[in-house]
Amino acid sequence: MLGYHVPDPDEAMLVSGGRHGKDGGAPFRVIIGHGAWVVPLFRKVRYLSLAMFEAEIGERCVTKQAIQLDVRAVIAFKVANDTQSIVNAAQRFLSEQEKEMSVLTGRIFSGHLRSIVGSMTVEEIIRERQKLADEVLVASKVEMSNIGLWVDSFQIQHIDDGNLGYIAALAAPHNAAVQRDAQIAQASAAQLAAQAEQESQRKQAEYQRETAILKAQYQRDIDKANAEAAQAGPLAQATAMQEVLAAQAEQARKQAELREQQLQAEVVKPARAEADRVRILAEAEADRTRIQAEAAASNNRIALDQLLIEQLPEIVKQAAGGLSNANLTVLNGPDGVSELVNGMVGQGLTVFNSLQKALSSNNDQPAD
């Protein structure tokens, strides 16, 4: 009965039997990544792992200076992916793949490691460890290819001279320099740390000072607000009282103005009116009296004038009587007599006027 076989992704399926191996070809059929039909009894199926394997080696090697070194290394290898490498590896390691591969690979690398270490000094090995690994890997590549193996990496893990102290002596100057640099770096770090600490303390002090200032300002504002709040009641009461007093004063002023207006209306104006009435009456009485006095004086003068007029002929007569006994000489005849009569009449009028003026002067003088 026919069978269909499929290898794992990290395996190579080897099908032997049939006509494979003739005419110099591969002794068996290699299948990777897919399956195949295999005829039972006439074909045989085997599997070769293509996974990664690891081998460790530890060798005591002698350097170019005849100094013994213990070297430990790790090799990562696998079967190569090409058909010829798979055939070569299958022919050598198919029965016990991992064990035989690891042992043979370790031996190959150990031999090349001893050989290359013997051509180098300790200083070169210590300082150029990767160079040592690369030379060992190149030297082993041909042999590993012949057995169908491919090396992915070769790493030297440890190099030691036992208790000789040679490596330690080589490292002493570097260690001293490292320690010196470490001390310098430590001192610098300590200085920087001290500076940083001082800067931090300064900033903290500034922050504390600013915080204290802000707290003081906040506290001052709080105290001010509390004081204002505490005084708000008395201030409001005093303001209200002041407003009440101002209103009362305004009311008193208005009442005074009203009272003044009332006094003006009730007392002052009537008094002024009465005073004006009395003054007007007094002036009217004085005018009446003056008019009466003037009228009386006028009447007296009229009466006096009337009396004088009535007596004027008598005055002229008496004057003429006086002239009758006088010895007068009339020089110019009738004209002279006329002049004499006119003169006598004029003298009478003069006397009349004089008396009238005297009476007027007496009447104009005020009475005691």
Side-chain angles (χ1 to χ4, degrees):
M1 184 177 180
L2 295 176
Y4 188 80
H5 297 267
V6 180
D8 291 335
D10 60 347
E11 288 182 336
M13 186 172 66
L14 310 178
V15 180
S16 59
R19 301 179 59 84
H20 286 282
K22 295 182 178 181
D23 300 329
F28 43 81
R29 181 183 176 189
V30 178
I31 299 172
I32 301 174
H34 60 87
W37 293 100
V38 178
V39 180
L41 301 178
F42 297 98
R43 302 288 187 270
K44 188 174 183 179
V45 179
R46 300 288 299 274
Y47 297 94
L48 179 66
S49 176
L50 301 179
M52 181 69 65
F53 295 101
E54 183 180 286
E56 294 184 2
I57 59 174
E59 290 292 327
R60 174 162 292 184
C61 306
V62 179
T63 66
K64 185 178 181 179
Q65 302 155 312
I67 297 175
Q68 291 185 351
L69 296 178
D70 293 329
V71 180
R72 292 199 301 271
V74 176
I75 310 156
F77 64 95
K78 64 181 290 294
V79 176
N81 292 330
D82 62 283
T83 303
Q84 187 59 46
S85 296
I86 294 173
V87 171
N88 293 338
Q91 290 177 341
R92 292 170 175 82
F93 309 113
L94 192 58
S95 58
E96 295 183 10
Q97 298 179 25
E98 182 178 357
K99 181 178 180 181
E100 293 181 357
M101 287 181 185
S102 299
V103 172
L104 183 56
T105 299
R107 290 175 180 176
I108 292 172
F109 273 87
S110 294
H112 289 290
L113 178 63
R114 287 192 300 269
S115 174
I116 294 173
V117 168
S119 63
M120 300 176 65
T121 63
V122 177
E123 291 81 0
E124 292 175 343
I125 295 171
I126 297 300
R127 295 172 183 171
E128 300 177 2
R129 181 177 299 188
Q130 188 60 44
K131 178 182 177 181
L132 173 61
D134 293 339
E135 291 184 0
V136 173
L137 185 60
V138 171
S140 304
K141 186 175 182 180
V142 176
E143 296 181 26
M144 294 293 289
S145 179
N146 291 335
I147 60 177
L149 300 180
W150 174 264
V151 179
D152 283 341
S153 68
F154 175 71
Q155 297 292 332
I156 297 176
Q157 291 183 327
H158 182 70
I159 299 174
D160 188 13
D161 63 354
N163 295 325
L164 294 178
Y166 190 89
I167 296 177
L170 291 176
H174 179 70
N175 291 335
V178 169
Q179 292 178 359
R180 182 186 68 249
D181 294 341
Q183 291 175 356
I184 294 173
Q186 186 175 4
S188 300
Q191 183 178 1
L192 293 176
Q195 293 177 355
E197 181 67 21
Q198 292 177 357
E199 183 68 16
S200 176
Q201 292 178 358
R202 184 181 64 81
K203 289 183 178 180
Q204 289 179 1
E206 292 180 355
Y207 176 76
Q208 291 176 357
R209 181 177 62 83
E210 293 176 357
T211 303
I213 292 173
L214 291 176
K215 286 183 178 179
Q217 292 177 352
Y218 293 155
Q219 188 63 41
R220 182 184 62 191
D221 295 339
I222 293 173
D223 294 341
K224 181 179 178 181
N226 291 333
E228 291 177 352
Q231 295 176 358
L235 286 175
Q237 185 176 2
T239 302
M241 181 61 68
Q242 185 177 2
E243 292 178 354
V244 170
L245 293 176
Q248 291 177 353
E250 181 67 18
Q251 183 178 5
R253 185 183 63 79
K254 291 182 178 180
Q255 290 178 353
E257 291 179 354
L258 180 60
R259 183 57 182 168
E260 183 180 359
Q261 292 176 359
Q262 292 177 352
L263 290 175
Q264 289 285 340
E266 295 176 359
V267 178
V268 176
K269 289 183 178 180
R272 287 179 180 176
E274 182 64 21
D276 292 339
R277 187 182 67 81
V278 172
R279 180 179 56 78
I280 293 171
L281 292 176
E283 290 177 354
E285 184 65 22
D287 291 339
R288 187 179 65 81
T289 302
R290 181 178 56 78
I291 293 171
Q292 290 178 354
E294 290 178 353
S298 178
N299 292 329
N300 291 332
R301 285 195 300 271
I302 294 171
L304 180 58
D305 291 342
Q306 185 67 35
L307 178 61
L308 289 177
I309 292 170
E310 291 178 356
Q311 294 298 325
L312 183 57
E314 184 63 25
I315 294 171
V316 172
K317 180 180 179 181
Q318 289 296 330
L323 291 175
S324 63
N325 294 320
N327 186 15
L328 297 173
T329 299
V330 177
L331 296 180
N332 50 359
D335 293 332
V337 173
S338 297
E339 292 176 358
L340 179 60
V341 173
N342 291 332
M344 292 178 66
V345 173
Q347 289 180 356
L349 292 174
T350 301
V351 171
F352 175 77
N353 291 330
S354 299
L355 290 174
Q356 188 178 19
K357 290 181 179 180
L359 288 175
S360 297
S361 298
N362 292 330
N363 291 327
D364 290 337
Q365 290 180 355
D368 294 335

